[in-house]
Amino acid sequence: MKSWRGPPVPVAARPSVGSSGRTSSWRIQKPVVNLKRCTRCRMCWIFCPDVAISFTKRGPAINHDYCKGCGICANECPAKAITMEAL
Amino acid sequence: MREELVEEELFAPGHRACAGCGATLAVRLALKALGKNVIVANATGCVEVISTPYPETAWRVPWIHAAFENAAAVASGVEAALKSLGRRGVKVVAIAGDGGTADIGLQALSGAVERGHDFIYICYDNEAYMNTGIQRSSATPFGAWTTTTPVGRVKRGKDRPKKDVPAIIAAHGAPYVATASVAYPIDLIKKLRKAAATEGPTYIHIHCPCPPGWRFDSDKMIEVARLAVLSGAWILYEIKNGRLNVTIKPPKRRPVSDYLKMQGRFKHLTDAEIAEIQRTVDERCRHLGVG
């Protein structure tokens, strides 16, 4: 007889990116960055609730797997370097 | 770059929060402020529901799911256990929404603060029970529409004022109590760092706009949060050892109607009702010395 080896799934949850899948599939618009206008102030990065903007030397890089297209980055950009475009 | 803004993200992307969620941004910023050496006790509520679809989680720090009412009690137990094991350098953090704080978890919070546990309590306040479908809480402001404070011929939204939880915790004699807003991330992070450096119970109450619940477009989330502060509807202050200090003073306060008119939950308000809200905001600003 086989002995019971514990539950088939881990008891503690694993920290993971995309815990709810590719959440960018929810969006109806996406942010497009104009790096020429970008002043690298990082406002878009600090205000992103989806942790979908990272910062490179050139400016913001949008993570298009998880950006839900809320539009906060475009609304808060003081240089108007981000526009929301239809998919 | 300012030192407050650390690169490391301890809250992972790909969680199931609504687009433009204020509460999620509050949690992301809080983890930026506190760093890795924390243990989080999270009450039931929006943040718990959106971040932990078992067997996965968006949290890159140790995290415990508490029931709706007992985030502060679980945090108390963890803190006591760490103390008895002689473990130092780990901060215990309880996180709950306004429902889990102002209504259901108030006695657990009051008890934990009274016992003097060394922990931080963060309330993300989106001013109603949002993930169950926008039911009013005691932190819902006066006049706001929710599904349980409907607008019709008899009722005009919520007919009671917002419960002042930071004042209740300050009255316990907690060494550090502060209010914060997601629209002022540097202020928020500084306050959390101060709370982390304080020994004993500390309380941070973060104002977090909710696009579906407050009825506005998701891209306006920060704008709404900022207008709450600029109009004096939400005041950013800290109370350190009983001394009050307003941290963000708007140079010239905007009329509260600017804040209310951005949100569908207030769209039924008449000019007379808005004037009534303006009066209470003015009175509170005078009381706290905002001008």
Side-chain angles (χ1 to χ4, degrees), chain B residues 36-84:
Chain B
K36 264 187 175 162
N37 291 328
V38 292
I39 296 175
V40 175
N42 191 181
T44 295
C46 280
V47 162
E48 172 262 326
V49 167
I50 61 97
S51 62
T52 54
Y54 181 82
E56 295 187 6
T57 165
W59 298 77
R60 288 164 170 156
V61 296
W63 180 93
I64 309 167
H65 176 206
F68 220 139
E69 69 280 16
N70 64 353
V74 170
S76 302
V78 173
E79 189 265 348
L82 288 172
K83 201 181 258 172
S84 71

Side-chain angles (χ1 to χ4, degrees), chain B residues 16 41 76 95 115 204 277 287:
Chain B
R16 62 173 66 158
S76 302
I95 298 182
R115 289 189 300 271
I204 312 280
I277 293 173
H287 177 67

Side-chain angles (χ1 to χ4, degrees), chain B residues 206-283:
Chain B
I206 309 176
H207 194 235
C208 303
C210 168
W214 298 13
R215 298 288 192 246
F216 62 85
D217 287 341
S218 61
D219 60 331
K220 298 286 186 286
M221 193 273 282
I222 296 295
E223 218 176 301
V224 169
R226 192 182 292 124
L227 266 173
V229 174
L230 293 179
S231 65
W234 184 248
I235 301 168
L236 298 181
Y237 61 82
E238 56 184 8
I239 302 170
K240 202 174 171 181
N241 297 320
R243 285 187 58 150
L244 176 92
N245 171 30
V246 176
T247 54
I248 305 275
K249 275 190 190 174
K252 190 175 182 299
R253 265 196 299 127
R254 298 268 294 267
V256 76
S257 60
D258 288 6
Y259 168 62
L260 301 176
K261 288 198 166 147
M262 285 192 81
Q263 306 166 54
R265 63 174 175 159
F266 293 118
K267 75 170 181 217
H268 58 281
L269 294 180
T270 60
D271 287 349
E273 286 165 329
I274 290 174
E276 171 66 29
I277 293 173
Q278 183 71 58
R279 260 196 302 281
T280 56
V281 167
D282 290 346
E283 197 176 305

Side-chain angles (χ1 to χ4, degrees), chain B residues 11 39 68 88-89 101 122 140 150 157 187 228 233 269 289:
Chain B
F11 199 70
I39 296 175
F68 220 139
R88 288 171 177 278
T101 302
I122 299 172
T140 303
D187 179 72
L269 294 180

Side-chain angles (χ1 to χ4, degrees), chain B residues 64-125:
Chain B
I64 309 167
H65 176 206
F68 220 139
E69 69 280 16
N70 64 353
V74 170
S76 302
V78 173
E79 189 265 348
L82 288 172
K83 201 181 258 172
S84 71
L85 291 169
R87 290 275 297 273
R88 288 171 177 278
V90 180
K91 198 78 185 182
V92 181
V93 183
I95 298 182
D98 52 297
T101 302
D103 298 344
I104 305 175
L106 190 61
Q107 66 84 13
L109 170 59
S110 174
V113 175
E114 188 274 329
R115 289 189 300 271
H117 290 283
D118 181 16
F119 80 120
I120 305 171
Y121 190 101
I122 299 172
C123 169
Y124 62 93
D125 182 3

